[in-house]
Amino acid sequence: MLVETPAAAILPRGRRDHRMRTCFPAEPRQRRNPDPDYRHGPGCGCAHPGRRGLLGLVAGGAALLAREAVAGTGQYEAMLVNCIDPRLTTPSFLWMSSHGLRDSYSHFVIAGGPIGAVHPRFAAWHAAFWENLEITVGLHAIRRVVAMTHRDCGAAKLAFGEVAVAGRAAETATHAEALRTFRAEAARRQPRLAVTLAIMDLDGTIERVG
């Protein structure tokens, strides 16, 4: 059994070891430090920083925030808007990556995807999506939106009813109509953006909508 020996047991009394990376009980005459029960080595994680240390922390924090601010803007390619359905999380990522868009797109996830952004059944959500689109255009200078619905979508059934999406042909027609409505609204709000319309199958294959 390996037993770790306390630092106080191996350091000679009164001797400083500047390599020390731990803390040990302080002698009574040393108890004026901010933590009176322990003596701190320069490498320990709980030592109280001095004035220079505090200034360094402030400067480092400011530099980190500046880097994060720069990283949050720039030139990116697209926004993907698709559904919350967990079955499509990986397939949609793989599809975007296979088209050279990995780490080059913003992502808005909402029940129904583009259907949730335009159908009256979900009117309370519309402003949130369009405002986010406006923000990503301003911050990320995106050039297009990828609007992606999917097969067997619960939100589509809520919006259009079971009959409207019963069978592949009916489902395709219903989704295509919603996607074109989305494209028209995107063109009205952000006329410079290209819009890609697609229906994803549960196996990750895509059917483009013109």
Side-chain angles (χ1 to χ4, degrees):
M1 179 177 179
L2 178 65
V3 178
E4 185 175 350
T5 305
I10 60 175
L11 288 175
R13 184 178 299 276
R15 179 179 175 183
R16 282 185 174 273
D17 184 349
H18 291 289
R19 296 169 299 174
M20 184 175 67
R21 300 188 64 81
T22 187
C23 312
F24 56 90
E27 297 178 19
R29 58 191 171 85
Q30 296 172 322
R31 293 195 174 186
R32 290 184 179 181
N33 63 69
D35 190 354
D37 295 326
Y38 288 90
R39 179 177 165 199
H40 301 279
C44 77
C46 54
H48 297 271
R51 183 180 177 186
R52 289 184 179 179
L54 287 172
L55 290 174
L57 287 173
V58 171
L64 178 60
L65 288 174
R67 285 198 298 272
E68 289 179 349
V70 171
T73 61
Q75 178 69 62
Y76 296 90
E77 183 61 31
M79 170 189 261
L80 169 64
V81 52
N82 68 341
C83 187
I84 62 174
D85 193 316
R87 297 173 294 176
L88 283 303
T89 301
T90 299
S92 61
F93 167 76
L94 292 175
W95 189 86
M96 296 294 282
S97 297
S98 71
H99 287 75
L101 295 172
R102 181 170 181 164
D103 297 331
S104 295
Y105 66 95
S106 56
H107 196 181
F108 194 93
V109 183
I110 188 172
I115 296 170
V118 295
H119 195 278
R121 171 69 171 75
F122 309 118
W125 306 345
H126 295 179
F129 170 73
W130 297 110
E131 287 172 11
N132 272 267
L133 178 61
E134 182 179 3
I135 287 172
T136 195
V137 168
L139 287 179
H140 309 130
I142 63 168
R143 300 182 177 94
R144 60 181 164 129
V145 180
V146 179
M148 186 182 292
T149 62
H150 69 90
R151 304 286 178 185
D152 190 37
C153 178
K157 293 173 184 177
L158 288 175
F160 301 110
E162 295 275 354
V163 174
V165 292
R168 190 174 184 88
E171 183 181 49
T172 299
T174 299
H175 281 237
E177 182 180 356
L179 286 166
R180 292 183 185 114
T181 300
F182 176 91
R183 180 169 59 194
E185 185 64 13
R188 185 180 74 83
R189 292 173 179 265
Q190 298 289 341
R192 296 184 179 181
L193 290 181
V195 182
T196 299
L197 307 179
I199 304 170
M200 178 168 276
D201 217 320
L202 298 183
D203 63 2
T205 57
I206 284 287
E207 181 175 343
R208 296 290 189 102
V209 174

